Short mmCIF file of all heavy atoms in Angstrom, two decimals:
data_model
loop_
_atom_site.label_atom_id
_atom_site.label_comp_id
_atom_site.label_asym_id
_atom_site.label_seq_id
_atom_site.Cartn_x
_atom_site.Cartn_y
_atom_site.Cartn_z
N GLY F 3 0.81 -1.21 0.00
CA GLY F 3 0.00 0.00 0.00
C GLY F 3 0.84 1.26 0.00
O GLY F 3 0.50 2.25 -0.64
N ASN F 4 1.96 1.24 0.70
CA ASN F 4 2.86 2.38 0.74
C ASN F 4 3.46 2.65 -0.63
O ASN F 4 3.51 3.79 -1.09
CB ASN F 4 3.95 2.13 1.77
CG ASN F 4 4.77 3.36 2.05
OD1 ASN F 4 4.40 4.47 1.68
ND2 ASN F 4 5.89 3.18 2.72
N VAL F 5 3.90 1.60 -1.32
CA VAL F 5 4.50 1.76 -2.64
C VAL F 5 3.47 2.24 -3.65
O VAL F 5 3.70 3.19 -4.39
CB VAL F 5 5.15 0.44 -3.10
CG1 VAL F 5 5.54 0.49 -4.56
CG2 VAL F 5 6.36 0.12 -2.24
N VAL F 6 2.31 1.60 -3.67
CA VAL F 6 1.26 1.98 -4.63
C VAL F 6 0.76 3.39 -4.34
O VAL F 6 0.60 4.20 -5.25
CB VAL F 6 0.12 0.95 -4.61
CG1 VAL F 6 -1.07 1.42 -5.42
CG2 VAL F 6 0.60 -0.39 -5.12
N GLY F 7 0.53 3.70 -3.09
CA GLY F 7 0.06 5.05 -2.73
C GLY F 7 1.07 6.12 -3.07
O GLY F 7 0.71 7.20 -3.55
N SER F 8 2.33 5.84 -2.85
CA SER F 8 3.38 6.79 -3.19
C SER F 8 3.44 7.02 -4.70
O SER F 8 3.58 8.17 -5.15
CB SER F 8 4.73 6.27 -2.69
OG SER F 8 5.78 7.09 -3.13
N ASN F 9 3.32 5.96 -5.48
CA ASN F 9 3.34 6.11 -6.94
C ASN F 9 2.15 6.91 -7.43
O ASN F 9 2.29 7.79 -8.28
CB ASN F 9 3.38 4.74 -7.62
CG ASN F 9 4.72 4.07 -7.49
OD1 ASN F 9 5.72 4.71 -7.23
ND2 ASN F 9 4.73 2.77 -7.67
N ILE F 10 0.98 6.63 -6.90
CA ILE F 10 -0.22 7.36 -7.31
C ILE F 10 -0.07 8.84 -6.95
O ILE F 10 -0.38 9.72 -7.75
CB ILE F 10 -1.47 6.75 -6.68
CG1 ILE F 10 -1.76 5.38 -7.30
CG2 ILE F 10 -2.68 7.67 -6.84
CD1 ILE F 10 -2.84 4.60 -6.60
N TYR F 11 0.40 9.12 -5.75
CA TYR F 11 0.56 10.51 -5.33
C TYR F 11 1.59 11.22 -6.20
O TYR F 11 1.37 12.37 -6.62
CB TYR F 11 0.97 10.59 -3.86
CG TYR F 11 1.26 12.00 -3.43
CD1 TYR F 11 0.22 12.90 -3.23
CD2 TYR F 11 2.56 12.46 -3.27
CE1 TYR F 11 0.47 14.20 -2.85
CE2 TYR F 11 2.81 13.76 -2.90
CZ TYR F 11 1.77 14.63 -2.68
OH TYR F 11 2.02 15.92 -2.32
N ASN F 12 2.71 10.57 -6.48
CA ASN F 12 3.75 11.21 -7.29
C ASN F 12 3.26 11.50 -8.70
O ASN F 12 3.54 12.57 -9.25
CB ASN F 12 5.01 10.35 -7.34
CG ASN F 12 5.79 10.41 -6.06
OD1 ASN F 12 5.73 11.39 -5.33
ND2 ASN F 12 6.50 9.35 -5.76
N ILE F 13 2.54 10.57 -9.29
CA ILE F 13 2.07 10.77 -10.66
C ILE F 13 0.97 11.82 -10.71
O ILE F 13 1.03 12.77 -11.50
CB ILE F 13 1.59 9.44 -11.27
CG1 ILE F 13 2.78 8.51 -11.48
CG2 ILE F 13 0.87 9.68 -12.59
CD1 ILE F 13 2.37 7.09 -11.81
N LEU F 14 -0.04 11.67 -9.87
CA LEU F 14 -1.19 12.57 -9.94
C LEU F 14 -0.99 13.87 -9.17
O LEU F 14 -1.30 14.95 -9.68
CB LEU F 14 -2.44 11.84 -9.44
CG LEU F 14 -2.85 10.61 -10.23
CD1 LEU F 14 -4.07 9.95 -9.58
CD2 LEU F 14 -3.12 10.94 -11.67
N GLY F 15 -0.49 13.77 -7.96
CA GLY F 15 -0.34 14.96 -7.14
C GLY F 15 0.78 15.88 -7.60
O GLY F 15 0.56 17.06 -7.90
N ILE F 16 1.99 15.35 -7.66
CA ILE F 16 3.13 16.16 -8.05
C ILE F 16 3.06 16.53 -9.53
O ILE F 16 3.28 17.68 -9.92
CB ILE F 16 4.45 15.43 -7.73
CG1 ILE F 16 4.54 15.09 -6.24
CG2 ILE F 16 5.65 16.26 -8.17
CD1 ILE F 16 4.45 16.29 -5.32
N GLY F 17 2.74 15.54 -10.38
CA GLY F 17 2.63 15.82 -11.82
C GLY F 17 1.54 16.82 -12.12
O GLY F 17 1.71 17.72 -12.94
N GLY F 18 0.39 16.67 -11.48
CA GLY F 18 -0.72 17.61 -11.70
C GLY F 18 -0.42 19.00 -11.21
O GLY F 18 -0.73 20.00 -11.88
N THR F 19 0.20 19.12 -10.05
CA THR F 19 0.56 20.44 -9.53
C THR F 19 1.58 21.12 -10.42
O THR F 19 1.47 22.32 -10.70
CB THR F 19 1.12 20.30 -8.09
OG1 THR F 19 0.14 19.65 -7.28
CG2 THR F 19 1.47 21.64 -7.51
N THR F 20 2.55 20.36 -10.88
CA THR F 20 3.54 20.92 -11.79
C THR F 20 2.90 21.39 -13.08
O THR F 20 3.23 22.47 -13.61
CB THR F 20 4.63 19.87 -12.10
OG1 THR F 20 5.21 19.45 -10.87
CG2 THR F 20 5.69 20.42 -13.00
N ALA F 21 1.96 20.62 -13.61
CA ALA F 21 1.28 21.01 -14.85
C ALA F 21 0.42 22.25 -14.65
O ALA F 21 0.27 23.06 -15.57
CB ALA F 21 0.42 19.86 -15.36
N LEU F 22 -0.14 22.43 -13.45
CA LEU F 22 -0.93 23.63 -13.18
C LEU F 22 -0.04 24.87 -13.10
O LEU F 22 -0.42 25.94 -13.56
CB LEU F 22 -1.70 23.48 -11.87
CG LEU F 22 -2.93 22.58 -11.92
CD1 LEU F 22 -3.49 22.41 -10.51
CD2 LEU F 22 -3.99 23.16 -12.84
N ILE F 23 1.13 24.73 -12.53
CA ILE F 23 2.03 25.87 -12.35
C ILE F 23 2.73 26.23 -13.66
O ILE F 23 2.81 27.39 -14.03
CB ILE F 23 3.06 25.57 -11.24
CG1 ILE F 23 2.33 25.45 -9.90
CG2 ILE F 23 4.13 26.64 -11.18
CD1 ILE F 23 3.20 24.96 -8.78
N ALA F 24 3.27 25.24 -14.35
CA ALA F 24 4.03 25.49 -15.57
C ALA F 24 3.63 24.48 -16.64
O ALA F 24 4.31 23.48 -16.83
CB ALA F 24 5.53 25.40 -15.29
N PRO F 25 2.52 24.73 -17.34
CA PRO F 25 2.09 23.78 -18.37
C PRO F 25 3.11 23.67 -19.50
O PRO F 25 3.74 24.65 -19.87
CB PRO F 25 0.78 24.35 -18.88
CG PRO F 25 0.52 25.60 -18.15
CD PRO F 25 1.65 25.87 -17.22
N SER F 26 3.29 22.46 -19.99
CA SER F 26 4.20 22.23 -21.11
C SER F 26 3.74 20.99 -21.86
O SER F 26 2.94 20.22 -21.37
CB SER F 26 5.63 22.06 -20.61
OG SER F 26 5.74 20.92 -19.82
N ASP F 27 4.28 20.82 -23.06
CA ASP F 27 3.97 19.65 -23.86
C ASP F 27 4.90 18.50 -23.50
O ASP F 27 6.07 18.72 -23.18
CB ASP F 27 4.11 19.96 -25.35
CG ASP F 27 3.09 20.99 -25.81
OD1 ASP F 27 1.98 21.01 -25.24
OD2 ASP F 27 3.40 21.76 -26.75
N LEU F 28 4.38 17.29 -23.55
CA LEU F 28 5.21 16.12 -23.31
C LEU F 28 5.88 15.71 -24.62
O LEU F 28 5.25 15.71 -25.67
CB LEU F 28 4.37 14.95 -22.81
CG LEU F 28 3.89 15.04 -21.37
CD1 LEU F 28 2.98 13.88 -21.05
CD2 LEU F 28 5.06 15.06 -20.41
N PRO F 29 7.16 15.36 -24.55
CA PRO F 29 7.83 14.88 -25.75
C PRO F 29 7.18 13.58 -26.25
O PRO F 29 6.71 12.77 -25.45
CB PRO F 29 9.27 14.62 -25.30
CG PRO F 29 9.42 15.37 -24.03
CD PRO F 29 8.07 15.47 -23.42
N PRO F 30 7.17 13.37 -27.55
CA PRO F 30 6.56 12.15 -28.09
C PRO F 30 7.25 10.86 -27.63
O PRO F 30 6.63 9.81 -27.57
CB PRO F 30 6.68 12.29 -29.61
CG PRO F 30 7.25 13.63 -29.88
CD PRO F 30 7.62 14.27 -28.59
N GLU F 31 8.53 10.94 -27.27
CA GLU F 31 9.24 9.76 -26.78
C GLU F 31 8.64 9.26 -25.47
O GLU F 31 8.56 8.06 -25.23
CB GLU F 31 10.73 10.06 -26.56
CG GLU F 31 11.50 10.41 -27.81
CD GLU F 31 11.39 11.88 -28.17
OE1 GLU F 31 11.02 12.71 -27.32
OE2 GLU F 31 11.66 12.19 -29.35
N ILE F 32 8.24 10.20 -24.62
CA ILE F 32 7.64 9.82 -23.34
C ILE F 32 6.27 9.19 -23.57
O ILE F 32 5.94 8.15 -22.98
CB ILE F 32 7.55 11.03 -22.39
CG1 ILE F 32 8.95 11.44 -21.95
CG2 ILE F 32 6.68 10.71 -21.18
CD1 ILE F 32 8.99 12.68 -21.09
N LEU F 33 5.48 9.80 -24.42
CA LEU F 33 4.14 9.28 -24.68
C LEU F 33 4.17 7.96 -25.45
O LEU F 33 3.30 7.11 -25.27
CB LEU F 33 3.32 10.30 -25.46
CG LEU F 33 2.97 11.57 -24.70
CD1 LEU F 33 2.26 12.56 -25.61
CD2 LEU F 33 2.11 11.26 -23.50
N GLY F 34 5.16 7.77 -26.29
CA GLY F 34 5.21 6.57 -27.12
C GLY F 34 5.93 5.40 -26.50
O GLY F 34 5.66 4.25 -26.84
N PHE F 35 6.87 5.64 -25.58
CA PHE F 35 7.67 4.54 -25.04
C PHE F 35 7.63 4.50 -23.51
O PHE F 35 7.30 3.47 -22.93
CB PHE F 35 9.11 4.66 -25.52
CG PHE F 35 10.01 3.57 -25.00
CD1 PHE F 35 9.87 2.27 -25.46
CD2 PHE F 35 10.98 3.85 -24.05
CE1 PHE F 35 10.69 1.26 -24.97
CE2 PHE F 35 11.80 2.84 -23.56
CZ PHE F 35 11.65 1.55 -24.03
N ASP F 36 7.98 5.59 -22.86
CA ASP F 36 8.13 5.59 -21.41
C ASP F 36 6.81 5.37 -20.67
O ASP F 36 6.77 4.57 -19.73
CB ASP F 36 8.77 6.90 -20.94
CG ASP F 36 10.20 7.05 -21.42
OD1 ASP F 36 10.85 6.02 -21.66
OD2 ASP F 36 10.67 8.18 -21.56
N ALA F 37 5.76 6.05 -21.07
CA ALA F 37 4.48 5.91 -20.37
C ALA F 37 3.90 4.50 -20.52
O ALA F 37 3.50 3.90 -19.50
CB ALA F 37 3.49 6.96 -20.86
N PRO F 38 3.85 3.92 -21.72
CA PRO F 38 3.36 2.54 -21.81
C PRO F 38 4.24 1.53 -21.05
O PRO F 38 3.74 0.58 -20.47
CB PRO F 38 3.38 2.23 -23.31
CG PRO F 38 3.31 3.55 -23.97
CD PRO F 38 4.03 4.50 -23.06
N LEU F 39 5.55 1.78 -21.06
CA LEU F 39 6.45 0.90 -20.32
C LEU F 39 6.18 0.99 -18.82
O LEU F 39 6.17 -0.03 -18.12
CB LEU F 39 7.90 1.25 -20.62
CG LEU F 39 8.94 0.36 -19.96
CD1 LEU F 39 8.85 -1.06 -20.51
CD2 LEU F 39 10.32 0.92 -20.17
#
């Protein structure tokens, strides 16, 4: 639960807050390879 909760918080909480403060486009390499991996 600690590992899963930490991952969810890092992806949604930190990633979302960062996107609200400084929106930017994701590189296609991340969307095509890193995210599915």
